[in-house]
Amino acid sequence: MAPWRPLRARTRREDCTGGPTFAGAQITADADLVVDGLLLDFKSTRRPLAEMSQRTAWQLTGYLLLDATDHYRIDTVGLYLTRSGTLTSWPVDDFLALLGACRRDLTELRGVFGELLAGCQGQADARYFATDEETERVR
């Protein structure tokens, strides 16, 4: 329980949203938890280092960018590794910088992401497109 103690001490129940969804998103997605601006994803694995993967980073990024209206006021993203009881988090600016996106602000990234998803016409994976032209348009 130790990693949760400071978070619980500063957080009111009304500041917690379990299974947050993202209004207006072009795809269906629900994160695990948003607590007072902290977007958390829970992972339960025997290999915790495997969860610190590119796939997990992109998953967190997707959730962050899907909150286009800033409804949840996400300022921090994090992972809770349930088997080891490890809570790790990064301020959004630091997280985006680690991903190489330090030259764009969050609002701009959310706008570009929304345009990309709108261009996918509900299919966010380019492998589903029939022609090279469609694939290039999505890129």
Side-chain angles (χ1 to χ4, degrees), residues 24-28 65-66 68 109-125 129 134 137-139:
Q26 299 292 322
I27 61 174
T28 302
L65 298 180
L66 283 171
L109 287 171
R110 285 175 167 160
V112 170
F113 191 60
E115 289 175 20
L116 170 66
L117 292 177
C120 292
Q121 300 173 357
Q123 297 180 355
D125 193 332
F129 294 98
E134 288 175 323
R137 183 174 54 83
V138 170
R139 286 190 182 137

Side-chain angles (χ1 to χ4, degrees), residues 5 16 23-24 26 35 37 48 51 55 57 60 76 82-83 86 89-90 108 111-112 120 124 129 134 137 139:
R5 208 169 274 139
C16 301
Q26 299 292 322
V35 179
E51 286 308 325
R55 179 179 172 195
L60 284 169
T76 308
T82 61
R83 291 183 184 220
T86 303
S89 63
W90 303 266
E108 181 183 357
V112 170
C120 292
F129 294 98
E134 288 175 323
R137 183 174 54 83
R139 286 190 182 137

Side-chain angles (χ1 to χ4, degrees), residues 22-114:
F22 306 97
Q26 299 292 322
I27 61 174
T28 302
D30 64 326
D32 290 334
L33 181 65
V34 174
V35 179
D36 192 25
L38 168 61
L39 169 68
L40 268 176
D41 196 49
F42 291 76
K43 299 293 184 186
S44 181
T45 181
R46 292 180 192 190
R47 300 176 312 156
L49 291 178
E51 286 308 325
M52 304 301 274
S53 67
Q54 185 180 43
R55 179 179 172 195
T56 298
W58 289 132
Q59 180 183 10
L60 284 169
T61 304
Y63 294 148
L64 174 65
L65 298 180
L66 283 171
D67 188 20
T69 62
D70 201 29
H71 176 76
Y72 299 108
R73 299 175 329 275
I74 299 167
D75 57 15
T76 308
V77 296
L79 289 174
Y80 180 64
L81 304 177
T82 61
R83 291 183 184 220
S84 63
T86 303
L87 176 64
T88 303
S89 63
W90 303 266
V92 165
D93 289 341
D94 293 350
F95 182 74
L96 292 174
L98 288 169
L99 296 174
C102 55
R103 292 193 178 105
R104 294 188 177 201
D105 71 19
L106 183 55
T107 302
E108 181 183 357
L109 287 171
R110 285 175 167 160
V112 170
F113 191 60

